[in-house]
Amino acid sequence: MTKALEGIKIIDFTHVQAGPACTQLLAWYGADVIKVERPGSGDVTRNQLRDIPDADALYFTMLNSNKRSLTLDTKKPEGKEVLEKLIKVSDVMVENFGPGALDRMGFSWKRILELNPKMILASVKGFSDGHHYDDLKVYENVAQCAGGAASTTGFWDGPPVISAAALGDSNTGMHLAIGILTALRQRDKTGAGQKVAVSMQDSVLNLCRVKLRDQQRLDRVGYLEEYPQYPHGSFSDVVPRGGNAGGGGQPGWILKCKGWQTDPNAYIYFTIQGHAWEPICDAIGKPEWKTDPAYTTARARQPHIVEIFGTIEAWLADKTKFEAVDILRKHDIPCAPVLSMKELADDPSLRESGTITEVEHKVRGKYLTVGSPIKFSDMKVEITGSPLLGEHTEEVLAELGYSRDGIQQLHAANAV
Ligand code: CAO
């Protein structure tokens, strides 16, 4: 079966998470992704948080599947020559080095265009070009703070909190992938390459747009009625942290279930969707709330929201999170168990759909990874193991026309 991106050659000059997440996605869908790595060490994540002494860390293997690895010292003339040849025959180059690193290496956008006017250069930086912080190096949590996620996550009486979801890294990589596919589509029409730039701050902010919505509502009316602070608490002039509140038009909260005293994940998320109010009253044994004017509308319920969630929690006390969801689903109530990573890893539905998949690695053996979250009706996505450092160096050099002697000379240059 053909893959959608077959025939697209990508120079993957990325490291850590933001860039590799992008190129991995494109590799899954058929692009030939050649990861260019520094000889001897490679991507820093090969060594970070190792669980097996001499095997690439899961941090690396889970972000670099379906790629080839080429080792090149791109600061040496021999390495630069290979990279130039590669640029001439590739469609896309993706990089997420610190600000200015590519220029310092001699591969400015101007130079890349001279080598290949059809090239798409895709870059991740912490802040966008021209931003007053555009000289900063940035990691995940820095981006979450700069993009509005940290100030709006957590509880109102505690400090800003970082999300475990990679909003700064993988999220930025997904934005970049969309940018690359868009530029490829435009190149189909114009024949010209272009530079695609995504900043981590912008990508986080894009996911926090509902909080910018709330800031403007707060500026206008002085309160936010879906936040736990309303109506009993107080608001300042900035969007507060709302704990586990719904954040949209539907109030919600994380509620304790049977076993919460010992199991840190014995909880469900419960949403009170307006039209599901009557089924909720039936489900939790409070039929009188269906006709009591103090509860019949969302506005009437808001002053009692803590009491309502308390009542639902009392109903949940003798039910596991799975039993509770099985009852609530019959009433069409939007809810879900809080699932641990262990439960997700073992989830038969996720295994069946390929979202959690087992992959073979030449050194470490089998490991679990997250497969494609995007499903296609006409393309089967196969996840393969990540490459060893330099595993495809000779193969790629031969494709670029290097002779056996030329390859040996490069090996010698890499080793110095
Ligand atoms: N051969 C020779 N040199 C190489 C090379 C190769 N194959 N690959 C990279 N290098 C060099 C670069 O040229 C650069 O050298 P100089 O700084 O001397 O010009 C250096 O290695 C890489 O620098 P860096 O700034 O990218 O790396 P760092 O570890 O200091 O910083 C990070 C890491 C992530 C903070 C920084 O790359 C960054 O801010 N990137 C942009 C934002 C980003 O993507 N962050 C997310 C990372 S995931 O959490």
Side-chain angles (χ1 to χ4, degrees), residues 54-111:
D54 295 317
D56 287 331
L58 288 165
Y59 197 0
F60 178 84
T61 64
M62 292 179 72
L63 285 158
N64 290 284
S65 57
N66 297 52
K67 301 181 183 178
R68 299 198 281 170
S69 167
L70 162 70
T71 44
L72 274 189
D73 187 330
T74 52
K75 284 189 172 166
K76 290 189 176 152
E78 299 87 345
K80 283 187 202 294
E81 185 190 289
V82 178
L83 189 57
E84 285 184 4
K85 285 193 170 71
L86 205 48
I87 289 172
K88 285 180 184 163
V89 298
S90 297
D91 301 280
V92 182
M93 177 152 130
V94 189
E95 66 91 21
N96 68 319
F97 293 127
L102 206 56
D103 290 354
R104 289 195 293 279
M105 213 186 272
F107 291 95
S108 63
W109 173 225
K110 187 166 168 281
R111 176 71 186 131

Short mmCIF file of all heavy atoms in Angstrom, two decimals, residues 54-111:
data_model
loop_
_atom_site.label_atom_id
_atom_site.label_comp_id
_atom_site.label_asym_id
_atom_site.label_seq_id
_atom_site.Cartn_x
_atom_site.Cartn_y
_atom_site.Cartn_z
N ASP A 54 23.41 0.17 27.82
CA ASP A 54 24.02 0.49 26.54
C ASP A 54 23.03 0.60 25.39
O ASP A 54 23.42 0.49 24.22
CB ASP A 54 25.11 -0.55 26.21
CG ASP A 54 26.24 -0.45 27.23
OD1 ASP A 54 26.63 0.69 27.57
OD2 ASP A 54 26.68 -1.50 27.73
N ALA A 55 21.78 0.81 25.71
CA ALA A 55 20.77 0.92 24.65
C ALA A 55 20.22 2.34 24.59
O ALA A 55 20.13 3.02 25.62
CB ALA A 55 19.64 -0.06 24.92
N ASP A 56 19.87 2.78 23.39
CA ASP A 56 19.26 4.11 23.26
C ASP A 56 18.08 4.24 24.23
O ASP A 56 17.27 3.32 24.36
CB ASP A 56 18.73 4.32 21.83
CG ASP A 56 19.87 4.53 20.84
OD1 ASP A 56 20.92 5.05 21.25
OD2 ASP A 56 19.69 4.15 19.66
N ALA A 57 17.99 5.40 24.87
CA ALA A 57 16.92 5.63 25.84
C ALA A 57 15.56 5.67 25.15
O ALA A 57 15.45 6.04 23.98
CB ALA A 57 17.18 6.96 26.55
N LEU A 58 14.53 5.33 25.91
CA LEU A 58 13.15 5.41 25.37
C LEU A 58 12.82 6.83 24.94
O LEU A 58 12.02 7.04 24.02
CB LEU A 58 12.16 4.94 26.44
CG LEU A 58 12.17 3.44 26.71
CD1 LEU A 58 11.43 3.13 28.01
CD2 LEU A 58 11.53 2.68 25.54
N TYR A 59 13.44 7.80 25.58
CA TYR A 59 13.20 9.21 25.20
C TYR A 59 13.51 9.36 23.70
O TYR A 59 12.77 10.02 22.97
CB TYR A 59 14.13 10.10 26.04
CG TYR A 59 13.75 11.56 26.09
CD1 TYR A 59 12.64 12.07 25.44
CD2 TYR A 59 14.53 12.45 26.84
CE1 TYR A 59 12.31 13.41 25.50
CE2 TYR A 59 14.20 13.80 26.91
CZ TYR A 59 13.10 14.26 26.23
OH TYR A 59 12.78 15.59 26.30
N PHE A 60 14.58 8.72 23.26
CA PHE A 60 14.94 8.80 21.85
C PHE A 60 14.08 7.86 20.99
O PHE A 60 13.51 8.29 19.97
CB PHE A 60 16.42 8.43 21.66
CG PHE A 60 16.85 8.45 20.23
CD1 PHE A 60 17.24 9.63 19.62
CD2 PHE A 60 16.83 7.28 19.45
CE1 PHE A 60 17.60 9.66 18.27
CE2 PHE A 60 17.20 7.31 18.11
CZ PHE A 60 17.58 8.50 17.52
N THR A 61 13.97 6.61 21.43
CA THR A 61 13.30 5.62 20.55
C THR A 61 11.83 5.99 20.30
O THR A 61 11.31 5.71 19.22
CB THR A 61 13.36 4.20 21.15
OG1 THR A 61 12.62 4.18 22.38
CG2 THR A 61 14.78 3.74 21.40
N MET A 62 11.19 6.64 21.27
CA MET A 62 9.77 6.95 21.12
C MET A 62 9.51 8.21 20.29
O MET A 62 8.38 8.55 20.00
CB MET A 62 9.11 7.08 22.50
CG MET A 62 9.06 5.74 23.24
SD MET A 62 8.34 5.85 24.87
CE MET A 62 6.59 6.11 24.49
N LEU A 63 10.60 8.90 19.91
CA LEU A 63 10.42 10.12 19.10
C LEU A 63 11.11 10.02 17.74
O LEU A 63 11.13 11.00 16.98
CB LEU A 63 10.99 11.33 19.85
CG LEU A 63 10.11 11.83 21.01
CD1 LEU A 63 10.91 12.63 22.01
CD2 LEU A 63 8.95 12.64 20.47
N ASN A 64 11.71 8.87 17.46
CA ASN A 64 12.51 8.80 16.23
C ASN A 64 12.27 7.53 15.43
O ASN A 64 13.17 7.07 14.72
CB ASN A 64 13.99 8.96 16.59
CG ASN A 64 14.30 10.38 17.04
OD1 ASN A 64 14.39 11.30 16.23
ND2 ASN A 64 14.42 10.57 18.34
N SER A 65 11.09 6.96 15.54
CA SER A 65 10.80 5.75 14.78
C SER A 65 10.68 6.09 13.29
O SER A 65 10.48 7.26 12.91
CB SER A 65 9.53 5.08 15.29
OG SER A 65 8.45 5.97 15.23
N ASN A 66 10.81 5.06 12.47
CA ASN A 66 10.63 5.18 11.01
C ASN A 66 11.64 6.10 10.32
O ASN A 66 11.42 6.50 9.19
CB ASN A 66 9.21 5.64 10.65
CG ASN A 66 8.14 4.65 11.08
OD1 ASN A 66 8.10 4.24 12.23
ND2 ASN A 66 7.28 4.24 10.18
N LYS A 67 12.75 6.46 11.02
CA LYS A 67 13.74 7.38 10.40
C LYS A 67 15.01 6.61 10.05
O LYS A 67 15.23 5.50 10.52
CB LYS A 67 14.11 8.48 11.40
CG LYS A 67 12.95 9.33 11.88
CD LYS A 67 13.42 10.41 12.85
CE LYS A 67 12.25 11.22 13.39
NZ LYS A 67 12.65 12.25 14.36
N ARG A 68 15.88 7.26 9.25
CA ARG A 68 17.24 6.75 9.03
C ARG A 68 18.20 7.69 9.76
O ARG A 68 17.89 8.87 9.93
CB ARG A 68 17.57 6.72 7.53
CG ARG A 68 16.62 5.79 6.75
CD ARG A 68 17.20 5.41 5.40
NE ARG A 68 17.04 6.46 4.39
CZ ARG A 68 17.64 6.43 3.20
NH1 ARG A 68 18.45 5.42 2.88
NH2 ARG A 68 17.44 7.40 2.31
N SER A 69 19.35 7.15 10.19
CA SER A 69 20.32 8.01 10.90
C SER A 69 21.61 8.12 10.10
O SER A 69 22.20 7.12 9.70
CB SER A 69 20.61 7.45 12.29
OG SER A 69 21.75 8.10 12.85
N LEU A 70 22.03 9.36 9.89
CA LEU A 70 23.27 9.67 9.17
C LEU A 70 24.15 10.48 10.12
O LEU A 70 23.70 11.52 10.62
CB LEU A 70 22.91 10.51 7.93
CG LEU A 70 24.01 11.31 7.24
CD1 LEU A 70 25.00 10.39 6.53
CD2 LEU A 70 23.40 12.29 6.22
N THR A 71 25.36 10.01 10.39
CA THR A 71 26.23 10.82 11.25
C THR A 71 27.14 11.70 10.39
O THR A 71 27.76 11.23 9.43
CB THR A 71 27.10 9.95 12.18
OG1 THR A 71 27.62 8.87 11.44
CG2 THR A 71 26.32 9.44 13.35
N LEU A 72 27.17 12.98 10.74
CA LEU A 72 27.95 13.98 9.99
C LEU A 72 28.39 15.06 10.95
O LEU A 72 27.57 15.56 11.73
CB LEU A 72 27.04 14.70 9.00
CG LEU A 72 26.75 14.19 7.61
CD1 LEU A 72 26.01 15.28 6.87
CD2 LEU A 72 28.02 13.79 6.88
N ASP A 73 29.64 15.43 10.88
CA ASP A 73 30.07 16.63 11.61
C ASP A 73 29.90 17.80 10.65
O ASP A 73 30.73 18.01 9.76
CB ASP A 73 31.52 16.50 12.09
CG ASP A 73 31.89 17.67 12.99
OD1 ASP A 73 31.33 18.77 12.81
OD2 ASP A 73 32.73 17.49 13.88
N THR A 74 28.84 18.52 10.82
CA THR A 74 28.50 19.57 9.85
C THR A 74 29.27 20.87 10.09
O THR A 74 28.99 21.88 9.46
CB THR A 74 26.99 19.83 9.87
OG1 THR A 74 26.60 20.07 11.21
CG2 THR A 74 26.22 18.67 9.30
N LYS A 75 30.22 20.82 11.04
CA LYS A 75 31.09 21.99 11.20
C LYS A 75 32.40 21.78 10.45
O LYS A 75 33.21 22.69 10.35
CB LYS A 75 31.35 22.24 12.68
CG LYS A 75 30.14 22.87 13.37
CD LYS A 75 30.47 23.31 14.77
CE LYS A 75 29.33 24.10 15.38
NZ LYS A 75 29.49 24.26 16.82
N LYS A 76 32.62 20.57 9.95
CA LYS A 76 33.84 20.28 9.19
C LYS A 76 33.54 20.37 7.69
O LYS A 76 32.41 20.06 7.27
CB LYS A 76 34.33 18.87 9.51
CG LYS A 76 34.88 18.74 10.92
CD LYS A 76 35.52 17.40 11.10
CE LYS A 76 36.15 17.29 12.47
NZ LYS A 76 36.19 15.91 12.94
N PRO A 77 34.54 20.72 6.87
CA PRO A 77 34.29 20.86 5.44
C PRO A 77 33.71 19.59 4.80
O PRO A 77 32.78 19.67 3.99
CB PRO A 77 35.68 21.16 4.86
CG PRO A 77 36.54 21.54 6.01
CD PRO A 77 35.92 21.05 7.26
N GLU A 78 34.21 18.42 5.22
CA GLU A 78 33.71 17.16 4.63
C GLU A 78 32.23 16.97 4.93
O GLU A 78 31.46 16.54 4.08
CB GLU A 78 34.49 15.96 5.19
CG GLU A 78 35.97 15.95 4.91
CD GLU A 78 36.78 16.73 5.97
OE1 GLU A 78 36.17 17.49 6.74
OE2 GLU A 78 38.01 16.59 6.00
N GLY A 79 31.85 17.28 6.17
CA GLY A 79 30.46 17.14 6.59
C GLY A 79 29.57 18.16 5.88
O GLY A 79 28.45 17.85 5.44
N LYS A 80 30.08 19.38 5.76
CA LYS A 80 29.31 20.43 5.07
C LYS A 80 29.04 20.03 3.63
O LYS A 80 27.95 20.27 3.09
CB LYS A 80 30.11 21.74 5.07
CG LYS A 80 30.09 22.49 6.40
CD LYS A 80 30.77 23.85 6.20
CE LYS A 80 31.30 24.45 7.47
NZ LYS A 80 30.32 24.84 8.45
N GLU A 81 30.05 19.40 3.00
CA GLU A 81 29.89 19.01 1.59
C GLU A 81 28.74 18.00 1.45
O GLU A 81 27.91 18.10 0.55
CB GLU A 81 31.21 18.40 1.10
CG GLU A 81 31.22 18.07 -0.37
CD GLU A 81 32.44 17.25 -0.74
OE1 GLU A 81 33.56 17.80 -0.74
OE2 GLU A 81 32.28 16.05 -1.01
N VAL A 82 28.69 17.05 2.39
CA VAL A 82 27.61 16.05 2.33
C VAL A 82 26.26 16.73 2.53
O VAL A 82 25.29 16.48 1.81
CB VAL A 82 27.81 14.95 3.40
CG1 VAL A 82 26.65 13.96 3.37
CG2 VAL A 82 29.14 14.23 3.21
N LEU A 83 26.21 17.63 3.52
CA LEU A 83 24.94 18.29 3.81
C LEU A 83 24.49 19.10 2.59
O LEU A 83 23.30 19.12 2.24
CB LEU A 83 25.08 19.20 5.04
CG LEU A 83 23.77 19.78 5.57
CD1 LEU A 83 22.76 18.70 5.92
CD2 LEU A 83 24.01 20.66 6.79
N GLU A 84 25.44 19.74 1.92
CA GLU A 84 25.07 20.51 0.71
C GLU A 84 24.47 19.59 -0.35
O GLU A 84 23.46 19.91 -0.98
CB GLU A 84 26.31 21.23 0.16
CG GLU A 84 26.69 22.42 1.00
CD GLU A 84 27.86 23.22 0.43
OE1 GLU A 84 28.34 22.88 -0.67
OE2 GLU A 84 28.27 24.18 1.10
N LYS A 85 25.10 18.44 -0.54
CA LYS A 85 24.57 17.49 -1.53
C LYS A 85 23.16 17.04 -1.14
O LYS A 85 22.27 16.91 -1.99
CB LYS A 85 25.49 16.26 -1.62
CG LYS A 85 26.78 16.49 -2.37
CD LYS A 85 27.43 15.13 -2.64
CE LYS A 85 28.54 15.15 -3.54
NZ LYS A 85 29.73 15.50 -3.66
N LEU A 86 23.00 16.81 0.15
CA LEU A 86 21.70 16.34 0.65
C LEU A 86 20.63 17.43 0.45
O LEU A 86 19.49 17.15 0.07
CB LEU A 86 21.85 15.99 2.13
CG LEU A 86 20.89 14.97 2.75
CD1 LEU A 86 20.75 13.72 1.91
CD2 LEU A 86 21.37 14.61 4.15
N ILE A 87 21.01 18.67 0.70
CA ILE A 87 20.06 19.78 0.53
C ILE A 87 19.60 19.85 -0.93
O ILE A 87 18.42 20.08 -1.21
CB ILE A 87 20.70 21.13 0.99
CG1 ILE A 87 20.83 21.14 2.51
CG2 ILE A 87 19.88 22.33 0.51
CD1 ILE A 87 21.60 22.32 3.09
N LYS A 88 20.54 19.60 -1.85
CA LYS A 88 20.19 19.71 -3.28
C LYS A 88 19.14 18.68 -3.70
O LYS A 88 18.40 18.91 -4.65
CB LYS A 88 21.46 19.54 -4.14
CG LYS A 88 22.34 20.78 -4.10
CD LYS A 88 23.57 20.58 -4.96
CE LYS A 88 24.49 21.79 -4.83
NZ LYS A 88 25.84 21.53 -5.28
N VAL A 89 19.10 17.53 -3.01
CA VAL A 89 18.17 16.48 -3.46
C VAL A 89 16.97 16.30 -2.51
O VAL A 89 16.19 15.37 -2.66
CB VAL A 89 18.90 15.12 -3.62
CG1 VAL A 89 19.97 15.21 -4.70
CG2 VAL A 89 19.49 14.64 -2.30
N SER A 90 16.86 17.18 -1.51
CA SER A 90 15.77 17.01 -0.52
C SER A 90 14.66 18.02 -0.74
O SER A 90 14.84 19.03 -1.41
CB SER A 90 16.32 17.12 0.90
OG SER A 90 17.24 16.09 1.14
N ASP A 91 13.52 17.73 -0.12
CA ASP A 91 12.36 18.62 -0.23
C ASP A 91 12.25 19.54 0.98
O ASP A 91 11.79 20.68 0.87
CB ASP A 91 11.08 17.79 -0.31
CG ASP A 91 11.10 16.86 -1.50
OD1 ASP A 91 10.82 17.34 -2.61
OD2 ASP A 91 11.43 15.66 -1.33
N VAL A 92 12.62 19.00 2.14
CA VAL A 92 12.38 19.73 3.39
C VAL A 92 13.59 19.57 4.30
O VAL A 92 14.20 18.50 4.33
CB VAL A 92 11.14 19.14 4.13
CG1 VAL A 92 10.84 19.92 5.42
CG2 VAL A 92 9.91 19.09 3.23
N MET A 93 13.94 20.63 5.01
CA MET A 93 14.93 20.51 6.08
C MET A 93 14.27 21.02 7.36
O MET A 93 13.72 22.13 7.37
CB MET A 93 16.18 21.31 5.76
CG MET A 93 17.20 21.27 6.87
SD MET A 93 18.86 21.48 6.17
CE MET A 93 19.49 22.75 7.18
N VAL A 94 14.30 20.21 8.40
CA VAL A 94 13.67 20.61 9.67
C VAL A 94 14.77 20.76 10.71
O VAL A 94 15.65 19.90 10.81
CB VAL A 94 12.66 19.53 10.15
CG1 VAL A 94 11.86 20.06 11.33
CG2 VAL A 94 11.73 19.10 9.03
N GLU A 95 14.74 21.86 11.46
CA GLU A 95 15.75 22.05 12.50
C GLU A 95 15.15 22.73 13.73
O GLU A 95 14.20 23.52 13.60
CB GLU A 95 16.94 22.87 11.95
CG GLU A 95 16.62 24.31 11.57
CD GLU A 95 16.81 25.32 12.69
OE1 GLU A 95 17.54 25.05 13.65
OE2 GLU A 95 16.18 26.41 12.60
N ASN A 96 15.70 22.40 14.88
CA ASN A 96 15.29 23.12 16.10
C ASN A 96 16.50 23.38 16.99
O ASN A 96 16.49 23.14 18.19
CB ASN A 96 14.17 22.41 16.86
CG ASN A 96 14.59 21.09 17.47
OD1 ASN A 96 15.33 20.31 16.86
ND2 ASN A 96 14.13 20.79 18.67
N PHE A 97 17.56 23.91 16.37
CA PHE A 97 18.73 24.31 17.15
C PHE A 97 18.44 25.64 17.86
O PHE A 97 17.46 26.32 17.56
CB PHE A 97 19.95 24.52 16.23
CG PHE A 97 20.43 23.23 15.61
CD1 PHE A 97 20.58 23.13 14.23
CD2 PHE A 97 20.73 22.13 16.39
CE1 PHE A 97 21.03 21.96 13.66
CE2 PHE A 97 21.17 20.95 15.83
CZ PHE A 97 21.32 20.86 14.45
N GLY A 98 19.37 25.97 18.77
CA GLY A 98 19.25 27.25 19.43
C GLY A 98 19.36 28.38 18.40
O GLY A 98 19.87 28.18 17.29
N PRO A 99 18.88 29.59 18.77
CA PRO A 99 18.88 30.71 17.83
C PRO A 99 20.26 30.94 17.19
O PRO A 99 21.26 30.98 17.90
CB PRO A 99 18.47 31.90 18.70
CG PRO A 99 17.70 31.28 19.83
CD PRO A 99 18.31 29.94 20.08
N GLY A 100 20.30 31.03 15.88
CA GLY A 100 21.53 31.38 15.16
C GLY A 100 22.46 30.21 14.85
O GLY A 100 23.44 30.38 14.11
N ALA A 101 22.20 29.03 15.39
CA ALA A 101 23.15 27.90 15.23
C ALA A 101 23.31 27.51 13.76
O ALA A 101 24.42 27.25 13.30
CB ALA A 101 22.69 26.71 16.06
N LEU A 102 22.21 27.49 13.02
CA LEU A 102 22.28 27.08 11.61
C LEU A 102 23.09 28.10 10.79
O LEU A 102 23.91 27.72 9.94
CB LEU A 102 20.85 26.94 11.05
CG LEU A 102 20.66 25.99 9.88
CD1 LEU A 102 21.13 24.58 10.22
CD2 LEU A 102 19.18 25.96 9.47
N ASP A 103 22.89 29.38 11.08
CA ASP A 103 23.67 30.44 10.41
C ASP A 103 25.15 30.28 10.72
O ASP A 103 26.00 30.36 9.83
CB ASP A 103 23.22 31.84 10.86
CG ASP A 103 21.83 32.19 10.33
OD1 ASP A 103 21.29 31.41 9.54
OD2 ASP A 103 21.30 33.25 10.73
N ARG A 104 25.44 30.04 12.00
CA ARG A 104 26.85 29.89 12.41
C ARG A 104 27.50 28.70 11.71
O ARG A 104 28.70 28.70 11.46
CB ARG A 104 26.96 29.73 13.94
CG ARG A 104 26.67 30.99 14.73
CD ARG A 104 27.13 30.89 16.17
NE ARG A 104 26.39 29.91 16.95
CZ ARG A 104 25.21 30.14 17.50
NH1 ARG A 104 24.61 31.31 17.36
NH2 ARG A 104 24.60 29.19 18.20
N MET A 105 26.72 27.71 11.39
CA MET A 105 27.23 26.51 10.71
C MET A 105 27.46 26.78 9.22
O MET A 105 28.03 25.98 8.51
CB MET A 105 26.16 25.42 10.86
CG MET A 105 26.67 24.02 10.98
SD MET A 105 25.23 22.94 10.98
CE MET A 105 24.81 22.88 12.68
N GLY A 106 26.93 27.92 8.75
CA GLY A 106 27.10 28.26 7.33
C GLY A 106 25.89 27.93 6.48
O GLY A 106 25.95 28.00 5.25
N PHE A 107 24.78 27.57 7.13
CA PHE A 107 23.58 27.22 6.35
C PHE A 107 22.45 28.20 6.64
O PHE A 107 21.43 27.85 7.22
CB PHE A 107 23.18 25.77 6.64
CG PHE A 107 24.17 24.78 6.09
CD1 PHE A 107 25.18 24.27 6.88
CD2 PHE A 107 24.13 24.42 4.75
CE1 PHE A 107 26.12 23.39 6.35
CE2 PHE A 107 25.06 23.54 4.21
CZ PHE A 107 26.06 23.03 5.02
N SER A 108 22.70 29.45 6.24
CA SER A 108 21.64 30.46 6.38
C SER A 108 20.52 30.13 5.40
O SER A 108 20.73 29.35 4.45
CB SER A 108 22.21 31.85 6.06
OG SER A 108 22.62 31.86 4.70
N TRP A 109 19.38 30.74 5.57
CA TRP A 109 18.25 30.53 4.66
C TRP A 109 18.65 30.92 3.24
O TRP A 109 18.32 30.25 2.26
CB TRP A 109 17.04 31.29 5.18
CG TRP A 109 15.82 31.33 4.28
CD1 TRP A 109 15.07 32.42 4.01
CD2 TRP A 109 15.22 30.23 3.57
NE1 TRP A 109 14.03 32.07 3.16
CE2 TRP A 109 14.11 30.74 2.88
CE3 TRP A 109 15.52 28.88 3.44
CZ2 TRP A 109 13.28 29.95 2.08
CZ3 TRP A 109 14.70 28.08 2.63
CH2 TRP A 109 13.60 28.63 1.97
N LYS A 110 19.44 32.02 3.14
CA LYS A 110 19.89 32.48 1.83
C LYS A 110 20.74 31.39 1.15
O LYS A 110 20.55 31.08 -0.03
CB LYS A 110 20.71 33.77 2.03
CG LYS A 110 21.13 34.47 0.78
CD LYS A 110 21.61 35.89 1.13
CE LYS A 110 22.31 36.54 -0.06
NZ LYS A 110 23.67 36.10 -0.27
N ARG A 111 21.66 30.82 1.90
CA ARG A 111 22.54 29.78 1.35
C ARG A 111 21.74 28.53 0.96
O ARG A 111 21.98 27.92 -0.09
CB ARG A 111 23.62 29.43 2.41
CG ARG A 111 24.54 28.30 2.01
CD ARG A 111 25.50 28.73 0.91
NE ARG A 111 26.30 27.62 0.41
CZ ARG A 111 26.46 27.33 -0.89
NH1 ARG A 111 25.90 28.07 -1.82
NH2 ARG A 111 27.20 26.32 -1.25
#
